[in-house]
Amino acid sequence: MNFEHIPVLLREAVDGLNIKEDGIYVDGTLGGAGHSIEIVKRLTGGKLIGIDQDLNAITKAKEVLKDDLDNVILVHDNYVNIENILSDLHIEKVDGILLDIGVSSHQLDEEERGFSYHKDAPLDMRMDKTKDFTAWDVVNKYSERELERIIWDYGEERWAKRIAEFIVDERKVKPIDTTLQLVDVIKAAIPKKVRMEGHHPGKKTFQAIRIEVNGELDVLKASIPKMCRLLNKGGRIAIITFHSLEDRIVKETFKELNKDCICPPEIPICVCDKEKEIEIITRKPIVPTKIEIERNPRSRSSKLRIAERV
Ligand SMILES: C[S@@+](CC[C@H](N)C(=O)[O-])C[C@H]1O[C@@H](n2cnc3c(N)ncnc32)[C@H](O)[C@@H]1O
């Protein structure tokens, strides 16, 4: 098993947290602990809480952080449960929270997880293997319309309609059980000339199905306000996304939390009681340098946004 994962926007994200050496920090997407280890290096007397819904990531992180385990608490859970996670640890507020959304290289490398369109495996794609809902359910049970919607929205795949049609036709013959079976169906749906250009033809559809299986957008949307409210004054949240829909969620949610009045303009006096909860530190998202993209092509679509609790 190869767990090599190059952390994306590492310096930018960790610097952006403005780490206080005795502060409490949360890495909600621990993965290979690439960001966490940098945070821990900057702590003296502080604590890092590392959360991942993938038990394999927790095991790996334990190894990577082995010299600092006294300052680290690792939790196998979904970051959407952050309120309960912190209250179980008797922690009321923290000084910084990092999210680095998406799939890790180690998850792609683990053949049997079904994340990769290069390796044949059962259609799975669960980040949390204790859950029941898998890619098989999406591919074999969703209606043609639902398939088209997720492939179009989450994959930004312009051939979504044909791919959904071809999946449903194939299902009438036999269930689509494996990743490479699905790749064959996708290839048949996309005209050969288009297939020969650019990325692997399965890339966008696989991304869409993974986002659906793990409820990634809903979880992100629900988590940002809770996370901001768990920050001490001056505490920061830094979020790295890889997909335009994810980035839009972060941008819009930050904007909402930044408003101190949401009354309609025709009302002369504010009656809404809304208070500004955060200051937005990055008006425009931070993106990787050319050098980073060359060194780590996975970073190409990444965007980092940072906000500070007021
Ligand atoms: C891109 S990787 C993080 C890599 C890490 N920052 C590093 O540099 O090593 C994303 C990780 O977050 C985890 N993850 C994604 N969504 C999650 C969620 N809602 N709750 C907890 N963990 C999640 C995945 O299982 C994966 O291990």
Side-chain angles (χ1 to χ4, degrees):
M1 215 170 353
N2 176 13
F3 272 112
E4 208 45 57
H5 178 99
I6 307 174
V8 171
L9 292 167
L10 177 62
R11 188 185 48 77
E12 293 86 341
V14 178
D15 283 356
L17 287 174
N18 258 358
I19 300 211
K20 294 192 300 182
E21 57 182 21
D22 58 348
I24 303 179
Y25 292 85
V26 175
D27 181 348
T29 51
L30 184 67
H35 289 91
S36 277
I37 193 152
E38 283 305 315
I39 296 174
V40 168
K41 274 187 204 161
R42 299 186 190 193
L43 299 178
T44 313
K47 273 251 175 287
L48 172 86
I49 296 136
I51 303 169
D52 205 294
Q53 60 180 336
D54 185 341
L55 208 46
N56 291 8
I58 300 283
T59 308
K60 170 65 183 168
K62 217 176 256 172
E63 205 180 293
V64 174
L65 298 166
K66 63 179 185 304
D67 295 334
D68 295 288
L69 286 177
D70 287 349
N71 309 326
V72 171
I73 300 168
L74 300 179
V75 183
H76 175 228
D77 204 336
N78 192 308
Y79 66 68
V80 77
N81 300 321
I82 185 149
E83 287 162 327
N84 287 340
I85 295 170
L86 294 183
S87 96
D88 286 351
L89 295 169
H90 308 289
I91 295 171
E92 214 176 300
K93 296 267 158 114
V94 299
D95 299 291
I97 299 177
L98 174 78
L99 293 179
D100 172 20
I101 307 297
V103 68
S104 70
S105 304
H106 71 255
Q107 286 165 331
L108 290 170
D109 283 344
E110 289 174 277
E111 204 166 321
E112 74 286 358
R113 307 287 297 268
F115 286 109
S116 170
Y117 36 78
H118 291 302
K119 296 164 189 161
D120 203 16
L123 276 174
D124 188 330
M125 301 197 202
R126 283 169 304 166
M127 287 187 183
D128 184 346
K129 288 195 278 185
T130 65
K131 300 279 184 284
D132 292 330
F133 185 66
T134 68
W136 191 94
D137 296 305
V138 174
V139 172
N140 289 283
K141 293 187 182 160
Y142 275 28
S143 70
E144 190 173 324
R145 261 202 143 148
E146 285 173 311
L147 283 168
E148 181 185 342
R149 180 188 62 79
I150 63 157
I151 298 170
W152 177 266
D153 286 351
Y154 303 164
E156 296 173 316
E157 166 62 86
R158 69 187 167 110
W159 298 98
K161 190 170 168 46
R162 263 176 73 85
I163 294 170
E165 251 173 56
F166 274 57
I167 288 175
V168 171
D169 283 350
E170 180 68 15
R171 274 171 9 189
K172 288 179 191 150
V173 183
K174 58 177 185 313
I176 302 173
D177 291 326
T178 70
T179 46
L180 292 193
Q181 234 183 306
L182 178 61
V183 168
D184 284 343
V185 176
I186 297 167
K187 280 186 177 165
I190 302 178
K192 189 169 178 200
K193 194 167 166 295
V194 180
R195 251 193 286 136
M196 305 319 261
E197 302 157 1
H199 295 297
H200 186 285
K203 184 173 192 268
K204 294 177 172 179
T205 303
F206 270 60
Q207 169 182 291
I209 297 170
R210 190 205 81 219
I211 289 176
E212 177 68 11
V213 168
N214 296 290
E216 292 175 37
L217 300 182
D218 291 342
V219 161
L220 179 63
K221 205 174 200 164
S223 301
I224 300 171
K226 294 189 214 178
M227 289 181 163
C228 290
R229 286 167 198 148
L230 287 166
L231 289 171
N232 281 319
K233 190 171 178 315
R236 289 201 171 176
I237 179 163
I239 307 183
I240 302 168
T241 60
F242 292 85
H243 186 289
S244 58
L245 284 180
E246 293 167 347
D247 180 56
R248 199 174 319 146
I249 289 173
V250 180
K251 183 178 161 188
E252 296 301 322
T253 314
F254 277 3
K255 225 179 186 173
E256 273 314 299
L257 295 167
N258 177 247
K259 286 184 186 158
D260 55 9
C261 171
I262 48 168
C263 293
E266 58 276 15
I267 297 187
I269 300 168
C270 173
V271 288
C272 69
D273 285 340
K274 167 97 175 67
E275 279 179 13
K276 185 199 278 203
E277 297 180 75
I278 57 166
E279 212 58 81
I280 298 169
I281 303 297
T282 47
R283 280 285 150 199
K284 288 220 164 89
I286 298 172
V287 295
T289 58
K290 265 193 195 154
I291 297 171
E292 173 161 6
I293 296 171
E294 264 164 37
R295 204 174 59 93
N296 182 14
R298 202 180 66 81
S299 69
R300 185 180 307 276
S301 60
S302 61
K303 290 201 166 95
L304 165 66
R305 292 187 188 266
I306 301 168
E308 183 173 302
R309 184 80 166 118
V310 292

